[in-house]
Amino acid sequence: MLEAEELYRFYRSGEEETRALRGISLKVAPGEVVAISGPSGSGKSTLLSCVAGLDDPDGGIVRIAGQRISHRPEADKARLRARLVGVLFQSGNLIEHLTLAQNVELAQRVGGRRDPAHRAELLDRLGLSARAGAWPSRLSGGEAARAGLAVALANRPSLLVADEPTGELDRRSEGPVLDLIRDQARSHTAVVIASHSPAVRRMADRVVQLRDGRVA
Amino acid sequence: MTEVVRCRDVARTYGRGVEAVVAVHGITCALRPGDQVAITGPSGSGKTTLLHLLAGLDRPTAGTIGWPALDDRPRGRIGVIFQGPSLLAPLDAAENVALPLVIAGRPDGEARREALRALNTVGVAALAAKLPQQLSGGQAQRVAVARVLAGSPSLIIADEPTGQLDSALALHVVELLTDVAGRLGAALVVATHDPLVAELLPLRWEMRDGALAC
Amino acid sequence: MLTLIWLRGLLTRRTGRLAAAAAGVAMAVALPAALGMFLASAKATMTARSVQRVAVDWQVEMQPGAATPGRLPGVSRRVDFAAVGGFEARQAGQTLTTGAGQALGLPADYTTTFPGELRLLTGTLAGPLLAQQTAANLHATPGSTVILHRPGLPDAQVRVTGIVELPEADSLFQKVGAPATAQPQAPPDNVLLLPAADWHHLFDTSPPDKVRTQFHVRLDHALPPDPAAAYTKVTGAARNLEAGLAGTGLVGDNLGAALGAAREDALYSQLLFLFLGVPGAVLAILLTATVTRSGAVRRSAEQALLRTRGASRTTFLRLALAETLAVGVTGALSGLAVAALTGWALYGSPGFGGAAGWAVAAAALGLLVACATVLPSALGSATVTAARRPVATGTRSPAWLRYGLDLWLVAAALVVFRLTSGNGYHLVLVPEGLPQISVDYWAFTGPALLWAGAGLLIWRLTRLLLGPGRPIVTRLARPLAAGLAGTVTATLARQRGPLSRTMTLAALAVAFAVSTAVFDATYRQQAQVDAELTNGADVTATQTTASERQLAAVPGVSRVEPLQHGFAYVGADLQDVYGIRPSTILSATHLQDTYFPGGTARQVVDRLARSPDALLVSQETVNDFQLHLGDMIRLRMQDGRTVPFHYAGIVTEFPTAPRDSFLVANASYLAASDTTYLIATDGTAPHLVADRLRARLGPGAKVSDVETTRRVVGSSLTAVDLTGLTAIELGYGLALAAAATGLLLILGFTERRRTFALARVLGARPRQLGAFIWTEVTLAGLGAAVLGGATGWALAQMLVTVLTGVFDPAPDHLAVPWPYLGAVTGLGLTALLAAGTVAVRAASRPPLTVLRDL
Ligand SMILES: Nc1ncnc2c1ncn2[C@@H]1O[C@H](COP(=O)(O)OP(=O)(O)OP(=O)(O)O)[C@@H](O)[C@H]1O
Ligand SMILES: Nc1ncnc2c1ncn2[C@@H]1O[C@H](COP(=O)(O)OP(=O)(O)OP(=O)(O)O)[C@@H](O)[C@H]1O
Ligand SMILES: [Mg+2]
Ligand SMILES: [Mg+2]
């Protein structure tokens, strides 16, 4: 489902250069859950951005379902993402002037779908049904993180890219979230999760350990 | 010893009427200098709300809250680490860390030195000149921790300070917080969902449905 | 549906921001719409006024012996003319005679049909009427008997029943069909008006070459409001009629001539509209663009999220446009309402006064611009990650900055300015005999380039100030921000994109207000000078026997200056000659230095004082006779004397002098007979003093005052009534300045609420938050005042110079309207203070409400 070959990504600001990715390759099969772990600043978020086509690597190539997503016009990337990819950022996943439920609906409509049943199911499984009408700024940290996941999964993506989905969650809330992701994988979604959580690592089929922009 | 903060029967309700959400209620507690507390509880149980009340950033809708050791003037003497991003976007890491010091009236140069020292303690000295948008999640969180360390507060309030950190680093950061709090004789409150982190603190309060169950 | 959800969310959660943006759009729409209304109404007024001023629209002169024309348009009356050898009257045994004159036969209802043609002074209109000048010559009064010397017939007698004035004598006695270039014919000195029956009785048997017949026509006055269109219609109809008359008659098109002049005035007002109005409209549009852009960071982050979800370009374009349209439509409608109210305030009737097209165009343009501003970010090719960053870190400056486009533009402006302000340059050309007037639009390039160049230059300067100039800003911020100065400048520097846009716009708004106000004041000053030049002084009296002393005794008179007037031949050319008293002339009337090329007014007058036989002549005369200073000139006076003079300088304009060639000399040396008195008032309104003088001097004397003259001064730029335009301009100048400073700062502060809230969490006191806010406010205010003031001054200078050709006379110096500039400063300061205060108060709210509500 996902093929990333020899990804490089260097950030330059002035004289300084941060080598966030230094030749990372990653393959994820449909239905496979891969956990990316590594110390803070090791390049996990950068890798995820490149893999989801949100950022272009300075070197290397990313393919999703056989189609190249790196180095293409934004419009093409967006089209691919709409069909295939769900993204959960480390923070800032919700549009502030829309309620939680509207945020999920918006994601569906943007993807050209309308699936109220799926929407309700997602909110229910993530324990957000009671907060469906709340503005994003009125959610607790954990609620916002789960809402982000609901938005990412709204379109039944073939590839889920999630950055720290459980960073803000306690053990008990983490359980349903991981179950949901597992179920998603069972319906042939490839999953890439960046996480520190031991629970995520345990749930994953494979753990990729990053260090300084390389696979350790 | 005078308490740093004292709550009596405190409640906070968001919204009104049918939409009202009682985030916390019936909270009676006190913290003395040197107290170090971990607050745990499920997501949505009211941890953040309580911390905001303790930091004086929010007012209770019922009950009273006071800061006797701070002459009831909490502003500027409480260090807060927010859940989620809390750095000023137009300032670089060092300027962010130095800001509370500059606000307190310390000269620029001195504040900057202190800031660099604090950044060094949390292991991000190399990032001093970067803007928040150029930092990784964990790095930004550590800069926020450094900002509290540099400010020598009397009360440290940290809301999920380790959410974005791997366990080794998480433990290191919490140790730093307890160290600094101990050195300053400050009270420390950490909301966390990580049991290993909670282990590091001598006191543990559990929140459940907006109430303290200790 | 998607769009609806989106819009509803925005409207409930971002009401304030959207309202502010709509206010900006409203301003951008209201200004051009109001200007359009002014233009339309000014033109309509010009048409109406010229129609009103014309007593007889057409004088159709029939060829001798031609049959009565079949059908004439409108209302027509037959008027007969007969040449009279002279008039004679006997008064108390004395016989008074006059030279040749004309006797007219008028139908009984002529005076009611053409009320402007004659004015009854005494007596009744029922019988024969004598013109005022003739009555004065014959000492005739109503009841007097006058004898007519009829050519080829015996003398006849009529009893006069009234004395009339013929205000339109020039056109009444025009030579119909004379080429436009011909010298206008002077009207006859002596005129008798007879009832038609009497005329036929007296002149039907006259020789045919001594009588002629005209038909006077009053047209249907339903004309197009635009003078040019009205002109075309009227002159076309006249030609049509002539063709129909097939050579048996010619049309004297008085209405066409008046409309032709009005058409020129209309063109001038259109020019002014372009020169003064267009920058304002452009500024208003820039304001809209900046206001709509002020939410760019938020919008860009939202778009990034939408793109993450796979939104196609059309989707977020649709969402962005929906937001902009919501803002734009609200803004445009309010703008139109404001424009309609402006129209109401100025012209007393709500609505767009024939400028509905303008209003719609303005609204459409406002909308278009608002939409265009959100397009770049929607169509941009930044990656999602890049779009999520709140602070722009790109250090590359825009291409135009790197290539110095601003400097090129300013340089080009100066070059064009040089070319278009030289001697002999004409902004408006009225080619002889052609129906079209042409304007040299090339002249606009100077100011236009200067506007563009100055705007970009200001932008460059503010960017420099916030970039490499940071230490300077820090030092400036010290007094306000104390210890926080470094931090404050750091935040300002990182936001320098939006901040420099705000500063530039504020500066341009100030420049607009300053340049318009200075131009307007100069314009009004010149209108005054023009009137004074035509009238001579505050009040002028001629044809009086009263002495200087008697005039000076009239209350309200502060000085009286005699000015002699006569005629003299320079070669074959008869020119007016004026005799002045050099010792006192400067104190009674205002002589501008520009009247005397090659010296100041004082120097030239001193030259006259030193040598009694000095003579000032026109440039034309100098050229014709190849004169050098000190050359002797012999003038043959009207009374036959030949007097030697010495050429002592050039004069281009002089109070009461005609526009073409004339001469100025010392009164004592000239010894001419006619004396005009130039009278300065002591501050009493000139028309009051004029009334007193008229009462004192009797009906024989001619007294005119500068106020009345100002209203009737002929066709020139200064004759265009600018009041409406300037009221709109100055009003909107104020509003723009206030909006550009206040509104944009407030919007900027709103974007930064989060920063302020976080600073507050970190312990910042309101005073310290104030440091952030007031530093920015001061910077914007200072920048606007200094850069805007300088630009405005330069522009005013350029405008006045470029338009010098149409100022008549050219101004000595710019007039500075201090009260208005004071008002701009005051309002600007108020807006800045208000923005700062609002921002400080908002920033002092409990920070959590902000952080949680962001
Ligand atoms: N501004 C608000 N308006 C309405 N409800 C709110 C608001 N802020 C928080 N809540 C609700 O109050 C409850 C407590 O929120 P709080 O943020 O204190 O939880 P928390 O314990 O910090 O959770 P987490 O671990 O997920 O961060 C939640 O259900 C939340 O949805
Ligand atoms: N826009 C940027 N400009 C410059 N450097 C950047 C930028 N974004 C990230 N970096 C740097 O790249 C490196 C990798 O960042 P990344 O966000 O991928 O780390 P991460 O593994 O996700 O860390 P964390 O667990 O803390 O979120 C870090 O050192 C970070 O400082
Ligand atoms: Mg990360
Ligand atoms: Mg929380």
Side-chain angles (χ1 to χ4, degrees):
Chain A
M1 176 49 58
L2 168 71
E3 288 172 279
E5 279 167 36
E6 283 290 301
L7 298 186
Y8 288 85
R9 180 76 174 95
F10 298 168
Y11 294 108
R12 274 170 220 94
S13 53
E15 301 286 282
E16 243 181 285
E17 188 180 65
T18 311
R19 304 176 172 200
L21 300 182
R22 300 198 253 183
I24 293 186
S25 298
L26 182 69
K27 263 197 180 118
V28 187
E32 193 184 12
V33 178
V34 174
I36 314 281
S37 88
S40 166
S42 57
K44 302 182 295 295
S45 299
T46 307
L47 176 63
L48 261 48
S49 299
C50 290
V51 154
L54 305 173
D55 197 3
D56 275 333
D58 294 317
I61 184 168
V62 180
R63 277 191 213 90
I64 296 175
Q67 302 193 46
R68 184 165 56 84
I69 194 168
S70 51
H71 298 290
R72 288 185 69 170
E74 278 300 311
D76 295 358
K77 287 186 190 168
R79 210 169 304 127
L80 276 175
R81 275 198 300 268
R83 253 189 325 122
L84 302 170
V85 190
V87 178
L88 174 71
F89 290 106
Q90 227 163 335
S91 64
N93 282 288
L94 303 173
I95 286 174
E96 295 289 337
H97 61 259
L98 300 181
T99 62
L100 202 170
Q102 282 173 338
N103 264 287
V104 183
E105 189 184 346
L106 180 88
Q108 286 189 336
R109 282 179 185 278
V110 161
R113 237 168 284 221
R114 203 173 314 165
D115 198 346
H118 184 48
R119 201 153 69 217
E121 189 205 327
L122 280 175
L123 293 185
D124 187 41
R125 289 193 64 174
L126 291 168
L128 292 170
S129 301
R131 307 290 291 145
W135 303 111
S137 58
R138 312 244 163 109
L139 298 175
S140 81
E143 285 164 351
R146 282 174 282 156
L149 186 62
V151 171
L153 292 177
N155 274 331
R156 303 178 190 273
S158 311
L159 171 66
L160 172 66
V161 177
D163 202 350
E164 298 283 1
T166 61
E168 318 269 344
L169 297 180
D170 59 300
R171 287 267 164 75
R172 264 201 312 168
S173 322
E174 202 173 10
V177 169
L178 294 183
D179 287 349
L180 183 64
I181 293 177
R182 195 72 251 184
D183 283 354
Q184 197 71 35
R186 238 169 253 138
S187 51
H188 303 293
T189 298
V191 181
V192 188
I193 309 178
S195 181
H196 306 294
S197 162
V200 171
R201 256 176 290 175
R202 273 197 302 278
M203 180 267 276
D205 298 317
R206 193 147 57 89
V207 177
V208 175
Q209 187 75 30
L210 292 193
R211 185 167 297 278
D212 289 337
R214 286 207 185 91
V215 180
Chain B
M1 237 191 308
T2 31
E3 291 136 342
V4 179
V5 60
R6 182 172 51 206
C7 302
R8 192 158 298 147
D9 224 5
V10 162
R12 176 68 168 96
T13 309
Y14 292 113
R16 248 180 253 138
V18 281
E19 284 184 24
V21 177
V22 182
V24 299
H25 59 93
I27 307 275
T28 301
C29 64
L31 287 171
R32 267 171 258 280
D35 280 353
Q36 303 192 337
V37 188
I39 299 186
T40 56
S43 170
S45 57
K47 302 183 292 293
T48 301
T49 307
L50 176 59
L51 293 193
H52 286 160
L53 291 169
L54 293 179
L57 297 174
D58 197 4
R59 294 258 174 81
T61 42
T64 55
I65 187 162
W67 297 266
L70 308 180
D71 307 324
D72 278 333
R73 272 186 304 194
R75 177 144 299 141
R77 307 186 49 191
I78 303 180
V80 185
I81 299 167
F82 284 99
Q83 187 175 16
S86 66
L87 299 179
L88 282 77
L91 295 181
D92 67 23
E95 287 163 345
N96 258 291
V97 175
L99 185 57
L101 302 175
V102 175
I103 285 175
R106 305 271 283 280
D108 272 350
E110 192 186 319
R112 188 167 177 86
R113 274 195 300 281
E114 291 264 322
L116 290 179
R117 202 172 311 141
L119 284 172
N120 199 29
T121 338
V122 294
V124 289
L127 305 174
K130 287 200 171 187
L131 291 176
Q133 66 190 14
Q134 296 169 321
L135 300 176
S136 80
Q139 289 164 344
Q141 212 163 25
R142 277 180 282 165
V143 173
V145 171
R147 189 165 66 186
V148 165
L149 297 184
S152 348
S154 312
L155 170 60
I156 300 177
I157 290 179
D159 195 354
E160 303 280 7
T162 60
Q164 318 278 344
L165 304 177
D166 57 289
S167 19
L169 197 54
L171 297 184
H172 173 63
V173 163
V174 174
E175 269 166 8
L176 272 177
L177 283 173
T178 51
D179 261 17
V180 168
R183 213 160 0 102
L184 295 172
L188 170 68
V189 189
V190 180
T192 182
H193 60 260
D194 189 339
L196 292 176
V197 167
E199 288 289 305
L200 288 179
L201 294 146
L203 291 172
R204 274 180 295 283
W205 294 350
E206 166 104 357
M207 284 210 80
R208 209 168 284 279
D209 290 336
L212 274 183
C214 40
Chain C
M1 193 56 208
L2 183 64
T3 322
L4 260 176
I5 298 178
W6 184 266
L7 260 189
R8 214 175 36 212
L10 272 181
L11 288 176
T12 44
R13 302 283 287 168
R14 302 272 181 261
T15 327
R17 259 201 44 103
L18 295 187
V25 177
M27 178 108 57
V29 169
L31 176 58
L35 285 175
M37 276 163 49
F38 160 77
L39 193 63
S41 107
K43 285 182 168 181
T45 318
M46 286 174 193
T47 308
R49 268 212 216 126
S50 355
V51 169
Q52 237 171 43
R53 258 205 301 259
V54 174
V56 173
D57 293 345
W58 285 350
Q59 291 169 232
V60 184
E61 175 133 354
M62 304 312 295
Q63 294 300 14
T68 308
R71 248 184 61 78
L72 289 170
V75 181
S76 56
R77 293 289 176 272
R78 181 188 164 116
V79 177
D80 295 294
F81 292 75
V84 177
F87 298 94
E88 199 178 304
R90 297 210 179 81
Q91 296 285 333
Q94 194 187 3
T95 302
L96 297 158
T97 58
T98 71
Q102 292 268 333
L104 272 60
L106 302 177
D109 62 354
Y110 186 86
T111 45
T112 50
T113 316
F114 303 105
E117 194 69 271
L118 48 95
R119 195 157 66 88
L120 182 68
L121 296 177
T122 53
T124 72
L125 290 168
L129 308 167
L130 262 190
Q132 181 193 24
Q133 180 73 42
T134 318
N137 291 345
L138 299 174
H139 293 187
T141 53
S144 308
T145 302
V146 173
I147 299 160
L148 291 70
H149 303 305
R150 292 185 292 175
L153 293 170
D155 287 356
Q157 271 194 2
V158 292
R159 243 174 76 89
V160 175
T161 64
I163 312 292
V164 294
E165 189 192 337
L166 298 170
E168 302 296 327
D170 283 343
S171 63
L172 179 61
F173 295 102
Q174 71 184 295
K175 182 161 167 40
V176 173
T181 45
Q183 283 287 326
Q185 213 177 17
D189 288 338
N190 303 296
V191 178
L192 174 69
L193 307 173
L194 296 166
D198 293 0
W199 187 90
H200 286 293
H201 175 68
L202 290 176
F203 294 105
D204 270 354
T205 48
S206 285
D209 63 322
K210 296 293 178 197
V211 295
R212 56 203 171 95
T213 303
Q214 282 187 358
F215 286 88
H216 285 188
V217 178
R218 200 189 62 217
L219 295 169
D220 173 19
H221 286 166
L223 290 170
D226 181 6
Y231 172 80
T232 314
K233 183 174 172 188
V234 169
T235 49
R239 268 196 303 278
N240 201 12
L241 175 64
E242 281 185 346
L245 292 173
T248 60
L250 288 172
V251 180
D253 189 358
N254 299 335
L255 183 57
L259 286 172
R263 180 178 66 136
E264 218 172 303
D265 285 353
L267 197 64
Y268 279 129
S269 75
Q270 192 157 330
L271 284 185
L272 283 176
F273 168 77
L274 281 174
F275 268 113
L276 302 177
V278 166
V282 170
L283 202 57
I285 284 166
L286 282 182
L287 183 68
T288 313
T290 317
V291 163
T292 6
R293 232 187 117 147
S294 67
V297 170
R298 172 188 64 85
R299 206 177 296 122
S300 156
E302 282 168 0
Q303 270 167 16
L305 264 187
L306 284 169
R307 254 159 44 187
T308 307
R309 308 288 169 235
S312 63
R313 217 158 253 190
T314 37
T315 308
F316 53 71
L317 209 58
R318 202 167 69 220
L319 297 183
L321 284 183
E323 176 185 345
T324 314
L325 279 178
V327 166
V329 169
T330 319
L333 289 180
S334 338
L336 289 181
V338 171
L341 282 180
T342 312
W344 187 51
L346 285 178
Y347 309 113
S349 66
F352 299 106
W358 269 100
V360 170
L365 190 65
L367 271 182
L368 208 69
V369 168
C371 292
T373 23
V374 300
L375 287 187
S377 75
L379 296 177
S381 61
T383 60
V384 171
T385 338
R388 278 169 69 88
R389 292 183 196 132
V391 178
T393 42
T395 42
R396 243 167 100 83
S397 40
W400 61 261
L401 250 180
R402 275 178 285 128
Y403 293 117
L405 178 64
D406 46 347
L407 303 175
W408 285 111
L409 285 174
V410 171
L414 293 180
V415 169
V416 173
F417 173 60
R418 259 286 138 80
L419 294 178
T420 52
S421 60
N423 268 347
Y425 174 79
H426 290 291
L427 190 59
V428 173
L429 298 170
V430 190
E432 296 294 355
L434 286 183
Q436 288 303 316
I437 324 177
S438 65
V439 173
D440 192 354
Y441 288 99
W442 180 235
F444 292 105
T445 10
L449 287 172
L450 185 59
W451 266 113
L456 293 180
L457 186 61
I458 292 175
W459 197 1
R460 177 198 286 275
L461 289 177
T462 51
R463 282 178 64 102
L464 276 180
L465 191 65
L466 294 171
R470 223 165 111 179
I472 305 174
V473 180
T474 311
R475 200 159 316 146
L476 277 176
R478 259 292 121 68
L480 277 169
L484 277 174
T487 313
V488 168
T489 30
T491 62
L492 293 183
R494 302 235 165 79
Q495 322 259 333
R496 73 165 174 269
L499 192 56
S500 63
R501 270 196 295 275
T502 302
M503 283 175 70
T504 307
L505 218 58
L508 287 181
V510 169
F512 174 67
V514 169
S515 64
T516 314
V518 170
F519 178 84
D520 172 51
T522 309
Y523 183 91
R524 245 178 300 152
Q525 166 189 290
Q526 287 320 108
Q528 175 70 22
V529 169
D530 190 17
E532 226 175 86
L533 196 60
T534 310
N535 195 53
D538 292 341
V539 180
T540 325
T542 49
Q543 299 175 11
T544 173
T545 48
S547 71
E548 205 178 322
R549 180 98 49 77
Q550 284 169 316
L551 292 172
V554 172
V557 172
S558 71
R559 296 200 71 91
V560 178
E561 177 72 15
L563 180 68
Q564 290 186 0
H565 177 242
F567 293 94
Y569 284 96
V570 182
D573 194 17
L574 186 65
Q575 293 190 6
D576 292 75
V577 54
Y578 295 89
I580 64 164
R581 203 160 64 183
S583 53
T584 52
I585 178 111
L586 285 175
S587 57
T589 184
H590 175 72
L591 296 182
Q592 260 189 212
D593 292 342
T594 47
Y595 302 167
F596 308 98
T600 63
R602 171 146 305 280
Q603 286 168 348
V604 173
V605 168
D606 284 350
R607 232 178 277 161
L608 283 175
R610 276 197 305 274
S611 48
D613 63 348
L615 181 72
L616 304 180
V617 306
S618 69
Q619 181 74 53
E620 213 182 322
T621 310
V622 173
N623 296 345
D624 287 352
F625 297 89
Q626 296 288 317
L627 293 177
H628 298 281
L629 279 183
D631 282 358
M632 151 111 79
I633 306 173
R634 282 180 197 287
L635 293 186
R636 189 155 53 79
M637 308 306 289
Q638 224 179 359
D639 52 19
R641 293 180 291 150
T642 300
V643 187
F645 285 92
H646 281 100
Y647 163 51
I650 299 175
V651 59
T652 55
E653 309 259 13
F654 201 76
T656 72
R659 291 261 142 81
D660 47 3
S661 301
F662 60 91
L663 308 158
V664 176
N666 278 307
S668 49
Y669 187 73
L670 185 70
S673 50
D674 284 354
T675 303
T676 300
Y677 290 100
L678 304 179
I679 298 164
T681 62
D682 61 359
T684 318
H687 73 269
L688 291 179
V689 177
D691 285 344
R692 284 179 206 154
L693 282 165
R694 263 181 222 115
R696 191 70 55 97
L697 304 177
K702 265 196 160 167
V703 180
S704 63
D705 65 278
V706 73
E707 288 162 301
T708 316
T709 310
R710 190 162 55 215
R711 262 176 267 135
V712 299
V713 174
S715 151
S716 77
L717 175 63
T718 36
V720 179
D721 185 12
L722 264 190
T723 346
L725 181 62
T726 47
I728 293 172
E729 296 264 327
L730 298 184
Y732 279 97
L734 276 178
L736 276 178
T741 46
L743 188 62
L744 287 182
L745 279 176
I746 282 280
L747 285 172
F749 290 137
T750 325
E751 290 267 287
R752 258 162 292 153
R753 285 189 302 173
R754 199 185 127 78
T755 302
F756 296 140
L758 285 171
R760 193 141 161 77
V761 170
L762 296 179
R765 289 179 295 278
R767 201 178 48 75
Q768 290 173 314
L769 291 177
F772 282 87
I773 291 162
W774 291 121
T775 305
E776 194 171 327
V777 165
T778 311
L779 209 58
L782 268 183
V786 174
L787 298 174
T791 309
W793 186 256
L795 275 164
Q797 199 88 39
M798 186 179 258
L799 275 180
V800 168
T801 316
V802 168
L803 288 169
T804 284
V806 291
F807 278 122
D808 194 11
D812 266 351
H813 56 89
L814 296 184
V816 185
W818 291 114
Y820 178 77
L821 294 186
V824 170
T825 315
L827 199 70
L829 279 180
T830 314
L832 288 173
L833 282 178
T837 313
V838 169
V840 169
R841 290 188 64 178
S844 313
R845 280 193 313 165
L848 214 58
T849 46
V850 178
L851 288 177
R852 282 225 146 172
D853 261 352
L854 226 48

